[in-house]
C-alpha cells in the first residue's frame, strides 16, 4: 500500500463496491448467487483499504493523525443519511406495527444511532424469549455498526504502531506501511476465526435456513447461533 498518491477517484474501487452491494441484494431477494453475502466482507475490506490509505497519507504529511478531523469526516459522511433512515423507519413502525413491535423498533433505532446495532441484535438472537421474534426493519444496520466500531479503534492502533516503531533504528515510511499491513492481516484473520463457525444455526427472519448447514459461515452477523443438538 502506498501513501504517496492523492485521493483520486478510483473507478475500480467504486466498481467493486457496486458488485459487492448487488450480490448481497440478490442473495437476500432471490437466493442467488449462493454465498452472495460475502459482498459484505468485500465492502468491509474496501472501506478499510481506503480509510487506511487516507490515514497513512495524513501521517506521512504531518507525522501525526488528526482524530478530531477524522471523526468529523465520518460524522458528516454517515450520520445525516443514517439519521434520516432511522427516524423514518421508527415513525413508519408506529404506524404499521403494534405497540410492542414499534417500541422494539424504536430501541433498535437508538442502538443503531450509536453504532451498536450488532450487539443489540446479537443479544436478541441469543435471548430464548426473543429468538423466534420478527425481524427488525433495522436489522441491516449491524454492518454499519461493525464498520464504525472498527474506525473507533483502528486510527488509534495505527498511531500506536507509529509511536512504537518510531523508536526503532531502521524505522522509515516503508517500514511503517509494512507494519500497518501486517496488523491489518492479523485483524482480518482474527475476524474470520471469530465467526459462528461450526455451530448449527437458524437464519434470522423468513429468509432461507439452509446456507450454514451447507457450510456457508461467512454471514455470521446475520445469524443466530445455537449449540448443535
Amino acid at each position: 500500500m502506498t501513501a504517496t498518491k492523492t485521493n483520486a477517484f478510483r473507478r475500480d474501487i467504486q466498481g467493486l463496491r457496486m458488485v459487492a452491494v448487488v450480490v448481497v441484494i440478490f442473495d437476500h431477494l432471490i437466493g442467488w448467487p449462493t454465498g452472495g453475502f460475502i459482498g459484505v466482507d468485500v465492502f468491509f475490506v474496501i472501506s478499510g483499504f481506503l480509510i487506511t490509505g487516507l490515514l497513512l497519507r495524513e501521517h506521512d504529511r504531518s507525522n501525526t493523525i488528526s482524530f478530531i478531523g477524522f471523526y468529523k469526516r465520518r460524522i458528516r459522511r454517515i450520520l445525516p443519511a443514517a439519521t434520516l433512515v432511522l427516524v423514518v423507519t421508527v415513525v413508519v413502525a408506529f404506524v404499521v406495527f403494534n405497540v410492542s413491535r414499534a417500541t422494539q423498533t424504536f430501541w433498535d433505532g437508538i442502538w443503531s444511532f450509536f453504532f451498536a446495532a450488532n450487539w443489540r441484535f446479537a443479544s436478541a438472537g441469543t435471548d430464548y424469549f426473543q429468538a423466534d421474534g420478527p425481524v427488525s426493519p433495522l436489522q441491516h444496520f449491524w454492518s454499519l455498526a461493525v464498520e464504525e466500531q472498527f474506525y473507533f479503534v483502528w486510527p488509534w492502533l495505527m498511531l500506536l504502531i507509529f509511536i512504537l516503531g518510531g523508536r526503532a533504528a531502521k524505522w522509515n515510511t516503508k517500514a511503517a506501511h509494512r507494519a500497518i499491513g501486517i496488523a491489518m492481516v492479523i485483524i482480518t484473520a482474527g475476524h474470520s476465526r471469530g465467526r459462528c463457525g461450526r455451530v448449527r444455526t437458524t437464519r434470522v427472519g423468513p429468509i432461507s435456513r439452509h446456507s450454514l448447514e451447507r457450510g456457508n459461515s461467512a454471514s455470521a452477523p446475520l445469524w443466530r447461533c445455537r449449540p448443535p443438538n
Side-chain angles (χ1 to χ4, degrees), residues 178-214:
R178 186 180 299 114
I180 296 297
I182 293 172
M184 284 292 289
V185 170
I186 294 173
I187 291 173
T188 303
H191 171 68
S192 298
R193 290 180 62 86
R195 299 184 182 280
C196 283
R198 297 180 180 176
V199 298
R200 188 178 300 171
T201 65
T202 300
R203 194 166 186 175
V204 177
I207 309 173
S208 170
R209 300 185 175 202
H210 62 282
S211 292
L212 273 193
E213 293 180 359
R214 295 203 309 263

Side-chain angles (χ1 to χ4, degrees), residues 9 14-15 20 31 35 39 63 73 91 96 102 120 147 161 171 181 211:
F9 181 79
Q14 300 308 319
N63 203 35
R73 291 191 297 271
V91 170
V96 302
R120 164 78 170 175
E147 184 177 8
I161 292 173
W171 187 255
S211 292

Side-chain angles (χ1 to χ4, degrees), residues 63-74:
N63 203 35
T64 189
I65 294 174
S66 172
F67 295 101
I68 294 177
F70 174 76
Y71 291 123
K72 278 184 176 180
R73 291 191 297 271
R74 297 305 303 167

Side-chain angles (χ1 to χ4, degrees), residues 13-228:
I13 295 295
Q14 300 308 319
L16 284 173
R17 275 180 163 174
M18 181 194 70
V19 171
V21 171
V22 168
V23 296
V24 171
I25 293 174
F26 278 16
D27 180 53
H28 283 293
L29 289 179
I30 62 176
W32 181 91
T34 302
F37 47 75
I38 198 66
V40 177
D41 284 350
V42 173
F43 202 89
F44 283 161
V45 170
I46 293 172
S47 296
F49 171 80
L50 294 175
I51 291 297
T52 301
L54 181 91
L55 295 173
L56 284 174
R57 287 188 290 271
E58 179 178 353
H59 189 272
D60 290 347
R61 289 193 308 268
S62 62
N63 203 35
T64 189
I65 294 174
S66 172
F67 295 101
I68 294 177
F70 174 76
Y71 291 123
K72 278 184 176 180
R73 291 191 297 271
R74 297 305 303 167
I75 289 172
R76 286 197 300 265
R77 182 178 180 85
I78 298 297
L79 273 188
T83 302
L84 177 62
V85 171
L86 292 172
V87 170
V88 171
T89 303
V90 170
V91 170
V92 172
F94 277 94
V95 174
V96 302
F97 295 157
N98 59 41
V99 175
S100 176
R101 190 177 180 194
T103 302
Q104 185 179 42
T105 302
F106 168 79
W107 285 110
D108 291 343
I110 296 296
W111 283 76
S112 298
F113 180 82
F114 290 104
F115 305 121
N118 56 324
W119 297 107
R120 164 78 170 175
F121 299 135
S123 175
T126 55
D127 187 332
Y128 177 83
F129 296 101
Q130 300 185 55
D132 294 321
V135 176
S136 170
L138 297 172
Q139 179 187 25
H140 296 292
F141 266 79
W142 74 264
S143 59
L144 179 63
V146 171
E147 184 177 8
E148 296 308 310
Q149 287 164 25
F150 173 76
Y151 294 147
F152 282 131
V153 176
W154 180 234
W156 295 93
L157 181 58
M158 285 183 64
L159 185 61
L160 177 63
I161 292 173
F162 285 129
I163 292 174
L164 295 178
R167 300 175 181 177
K170 296 183 179 180
W171 187 255
N172 52 36
T173 299
K174 187 175 181 180
H177 295 180
R178 186 180 299 114
I180 296 297
I182 293 172
M184 284 292 289
V185 170
I186 294 173
I187 291 173
T188 303
H191 171 68
S192 298
R193 290 180 62 86
R195 299 184 182 280
C196 283
R198 297 180 180 176
V199 298
R200 188 178 300 171
T201 65
T202 300
R203 194 166 186 175
V204 177
I207 309 173
S208 170
R209 300 185 175 202
H210 62 282
S211 292
L212 273 193
E213 293 180 359
R214 295 203 309 263
N216 297 330
S217 62
S219 60
L222 292 176
W223 305 72
R224 298 191 188 105
C225 301
R226 68 175 187 271

